[in-house]
Amino acid sequence: MKKVLVIGYVWPEPNSSAAGTHIMSIMRLFLSQGWQVEFSTPCAISEHMIDLDEQGISSKSIELNSDTFDEYIKEYNPDIVMFDRFMMEEQFAWRVEKNCPNALKILDTEDLQCLRNARHQALKANRDMNKSDLFSDLAKREISAILRCDISLIISSYEMNLLIETFKIDKSLLHHLPFMVDLKKCPKETKTFEQREHFMTIGNFRHAPNWDVVLYLQKVWPLIRKELPKAELHIYGSYPPPKATALNNPKTGFLIKGWAKDAYEVIEESKLCLAPIRFGAGIKGKLLDAMIMQTPSITTSVGSEGMYDKEQWPGVIIDDISEFVKNAVELYKDENKWKEKQKNCSILLESKYNSETLGRNLISKIEEINENLEEHRLNNFTGSMLRHHSMASTKYMSQWISAKNANKKEEE
């Protein structure tokens, strides 16, 4: 039986974020292989975290910059270590390598944060993204972490191409893994056009692109409401701050609903999902959930990026605000057009997000590299060089902080 250790950035919250759903689907895949899975994180316990014990996954709280992790990982002795986002690789990879040098190291990027950050900077400056935005210090850290690991899981086909073509990373170090959807659990039928009403959007308010969507919808919504005076926009998401709840306005139908206990239920009740996403990276969980519940969506080129190829989008992709409004109103009113877009949901899910196919391909990739791990690492000289230099600096900084913390305790 293989033993897997997942080092998480936060405790998984599949009902709050797409990242939480994604990491849970990967851990469930590992469990389905008969592997032992343990989740650990230095993050504090959160309000909406999933009960990992119920899932058959053991868990452990760990500390940053502490030698206690060395004792812990030596005792657990994993065959595979998966880092949830590059910051966890930076913090713990040198300790993993020191104590379990033969463990396969996987980086689950979730999305490319350097890409998201670059687009955010460009948006704030009201211009297109350029190379200087992309080739930031954040990118140097994130790309280094990818190179140091044996496999990096990349959620978007766009990001795969960016890493290979722009950052010149060898394909052998990357594996394309979109969200995995169990198609057998997807509803065959959902509420009809007549049974649905209103618009919706959903997303964790702590995620900057989601908050930007809410602010942008403040500009978009009055234009839609002018054409559809009885319609409402329901905005769901965990951890709404006071600045968000202050936007709640029943008179205009702009409603901040907060956390949805069942995201699928609120998506199914709505006629359309609005997602005017102006910056970000990866692929968007809200749009995938809309497909699962057969709810057409209206989004942007950034929102749909990496989510489809030649398939028809189950809704409309548009960047211009007036066209966005026009299409939202038309789809909301026209049952035939709505049904035509709805049909594309199941086609796209089957084509791109089938968990059986995606899961099988990931396990195959892991086993292939595991069987030839020494050769795989020899072929990645840049990664070896980065581990030699970067890990040394991270290691000594961490040891300095650890010693400093120990002295503080003695003084107390």
Side-chain angles (χ1 to χ4, degrees):
M1 181 195 293
K2 280 189 173 69
K3 294 172 76 175
V4 182
L5 175 64
V6 179
I7 303 178
Y9 181 63
V10 293
W11 291 98
E13 294 188 9
N15 289 336
S16 298
S17 72
T21 301
H22 189 52
I23 199 165
M24 285 305 304
S25 68
I26 297 170
M27 290 196 287
R28 287 178 183 130
L29 173 66
F30 293 161
L31 287 174
S32 73
Q33 305 302 304
W35 299 352
Q36 181 180 334
V37 181
E38 179 150 303
F39 183 88
S40 62
T41 179
C43 184
I45 287 171
S46 59
E47 183 182 350
H48 302 305
M49 60 185 278
I50 194 170
D51 187 332
L52 291 171
D53 284 340
E54 282 187 359
Q55 303 291 316
I57 298 167
S58 55
S59 60
K60 173 85 172 176
S61 288
I62 53 177
E63 293 180 44
L64 296 171
N65 305 306
S66 172
D67 293 341
T68 57
F69 181 82
D70 295 55
E71 298 161 19
Y72 161 62
I73 197 168
K74 269 192 284 192
E75 185 178 342
Y76 186 68
N77 193 26
D79 302 288
I80 297 170
V81 177
M82 185 170 83
F83 304 101
D84 170 30
R85 284 164 269 204
F86 78 90
M87 298 82 81
M88 293 299 97
E89 190 276 344
E90 285 183 329
Q91 286 286 342
F92 294 101
W94 70 270
R95 293 185 185 273
V96 171
E97 188 144 332
K98 172 186 166 187
N99 295 289
C100 304
N102 297 320
L104 181 78
K105 294 192 288 294
I106 301 174
L107 174 61
D108 179 22
T109 59
E110 295 293 353
D111 63 17
L112 284 184
Q113 295 188 42
C114 62
L115 175 61
R116 188 196 329 144
N117 184 68
R119 284 177 168 159
H120 197 185
Q121 296 308 312
L123 178 67
K124 286 190 285 189
N126 197 28
R127 56 171 173 75
D128 291 335
M129 181 184 74
N130 57 42
K131 250 188 176 181
S132 63
D133 295 316
L134 189 58
F135 288 10
S136 61
D137 287 347
L138 185 66
K140 289 164 191 166
R141 291 172 58 197
E142 190 164 24
I143 300 302
S144 294
I146 288 171
L147 287 165
R148 286 191 296 261
C149 287
D150 300 309
I151 315 172
S152 287
L153 307 181
I154 311 300
I155 204 166
S156 157
S157 57
Y158 176 89
E159 292 179 2
M160 282 287 289
N161 291 331
L162 184 73
L163 290 168
I164 294 165
E165 300 298 329
T166 303
F167 289 104
K168 309 301 180 187
I169 294 178
D170 194 287
K171 286 182 185 178
S172 66
L173 300 175
L174 308 173
H175 183 78
H176 181 212
L177 184 71
F179 292 126
M180 293 187 283
V181 178
D182 187 344
L183 300 182
K184 292 172 187 172
K185 293 182 179 178
C186 290
K188 301 298 179 190
E189 292 183 5
T190 56
K191 287 188 175 182
T192 64
F193 179 85
E194 296 85 356
Q195 291 171 324
R196 298 170 181 245
E197 61 179 350
H198 305 313
F199 297 84
M200 63 77 59
T201 194
I202 190 167
N204 188 327
F205 281 91
R206 289 178 176 172
H207 190 52
N210 289 336
W211 175 236
D212 183 71
V213 164
V214 175
L215 295 178
Y216 192 63
L217 281 169
Q218 278 206 295
K219 298 178 182 178
V220 175
W221 181 245
L223 304 174
I224 295 175
R225 176 82 168 192
K226 185 179 177 182
E227 301 296 321
L228 301 167
K230 292 184 179 179
E232 296 174 356
L233 173 59
H234 297 177
I235 299 172
Y236 296 91
S238 55
Y239 306 109
K243 64 181 179 180
T245 53
L247 300 177
N248 187 63
N249 191 337
K251 286 184 180 179
T252 63
F254 193 89
L255 306 177
I256 306 295
K257 294 283 191 173
W259 186 63
K261 188 175 181 181
D262 188 335
Y264 290 148
E265 183 181 324
V266 299
I267 293 171
E268 185 186 9
E269 289 171 352
S270 303
K271 274 189 183 175
L272 288 172
C273 172
L274 299 183
I277 297 163
R278 299 194 294 171
F279 74 95
I283 58 177
K284 313 304 178 289
K286 60 175 69 64
L287 295 173
L288 187 73
D289 289 345
M291 286 182 222
I292 291 170
M293 298 317 296
Q294 300 172 23
T295 303
S297 59
I298 303 189
T299 190
T300 59
S301 53
V302 171
S304 61
E305 178 185 272
M307 294 195 73
Y308 74 110
D309 290 320
K310 295 177 182 177
E311 303 86 359
Q312 293 294 310
W313 184 257
V316 179
I317 300 166
I318 198 80
D319 292 320
D320 179 77
I321 189 169
S322 59
E323 287 298 312
F324 191 98
V325 170
K326 179 186 171 185
N327 280 278
V329 172
E330 280 183 4
L331 261 187
Y332 192 86
K333 291 162 67 173
D334 193 322
E335 183 175 356
N336 290 331
K337 279 188 181 178
W338 187 89
K339 285 181 176 177
E340 185 183 318
K341 298 297 184 183
Q342 187 192 43
K343 287 177 185 175
N344 298 327
C345 292
S346 56
I347 297 169
L348 188 50
L349 284 172
E350 177 65 51
S351 173
K352 288 284 181 288
Y353 303 100
N354 189 330
S355 62
E356 286 189 9
T357 304
L358 295 171
R360 186 167 58 246
N361 291 344
L362 175 57
I363 297 302
S364 177
K365 175 83 169 184
I366 289 171
E367 290 179 343
E368 177 192 333
I369 292 178
N370 239 340
E371 287 172 10
N372 304 283
L373 188 56
E374 188 176 345
E375 184 181 350
H376 180 76
R377 288 177 175 173
L378 281 173
N379 291 334
N380 180 20
F381 181 78
T382 305
S384 299
M385 182 175 63
L386 285 169
R387 284 196 298 275
H388 175 75
H389 291 290
S390 304
M391 290 295 93
S393 60
T394 307
K395 171 183 175 181
Y396 292 123
M397 173 59 79
S398 181
Q399 287 179 335
W400 178 78
I401 293 170
S402 180
K404 187 179 174 185
N405 291 339
N407 287 336
K408 270 187 184 177
K409 285 179 183 177
E410 285 178 12
E411 288 170 6
E412 289 170 359

